[in-house]
Amino acid sequence: MRWQEILDRFRPATAPGGAAESAAHAAARTGIAVELAPVFAALDEDLAAAAALAASGEAGAEERVARARAAGAEVIAAARAEAPAREAVAATAVREAAATGDARLLEEAQARAHALQAERSPRIDEAADAVVNRLVAGLRGTS
């Protein structure tokens, strides 16, 4: 449409005069579909190309999803197959660590016991003997 014809879209709807409507849109008389038909016709080729591109993208995405699912299934199957062996290795490591820790704790306890025995005073034995003798004498009634 040429720029000079733009005002033709708004023509008086009735004869010029005082109480008449000022204008009616030309699209109401000719229809928007008729006016826009060339625009949509020009877009048909682009719409077809976009639809083909979308279909190709969907097919590619479906193929990638299928490959990813297959790869995931393989990883899961391999993990399930390896699980018992890995569990056995882990259990052995835990048992060895526990045994090593137990042996170390036993050695530390023995070292502490020896240290306590070395630190005790010989007078403790004499005092313990005296206490026991008094208790025995008290029980016999010969204090």
Side-chain angles (χ1 to χ4, degrees):
M1 177 181 293
R2 295 182 318 179
W3 71 272
Q4 293 95 346
E5 296 172 352
I6 194 79
L7 292 179
D8 287 342
R9 296 182 71 183
F10 297 96
R11 292 192 278 274
T14 60
E21 293 182 20
S22 63
H25 196 277
R29 291 186 305 274
T30 60
I32 294 176
V34 173
E35 190 174 328
L36 294 177
V39 173
F40 290 129
L43 291 175
D44 282 343
E45 187 176 315
D46 291 332
L47 289 173
L53 186 61
S56 171
E58 287 177 7
E62 289 174 3
E63 180 184 333
R64 287 187 182 112
V65 167
R67 282 196 312 246
R69 284 189 177 141
E74 289 176 7
V75 168
I76 289 170
R80 286 186 178 149
E82 291 178 11
R86 289 184 180 245
E87 287 173 0
V89 168
T92 302
V94 168
R95 274 190 235 107
E96 289 174 358
T100 303
D102 291 347
R104 190 190 62 213
L105 289 174
L106 180 61
E107 288 174 9
E108 289 175 5
Q110 287 173 342
R112 279 192 230 147
H114 290 306
L116 287 173
Q117 285 177 350
E119 287 178 9
R120 81 172 191 196
S121 168
R123 293 173 54 196
I124 291 176
D125 289 337
E126 294 170 7
D129 288 340
V131 169
V132 169
N133 289 335
R134 281 188 206 153
L135 286 173
V136 170
L139 290 173
R140 290 185 180 163
T142 59
S143 319

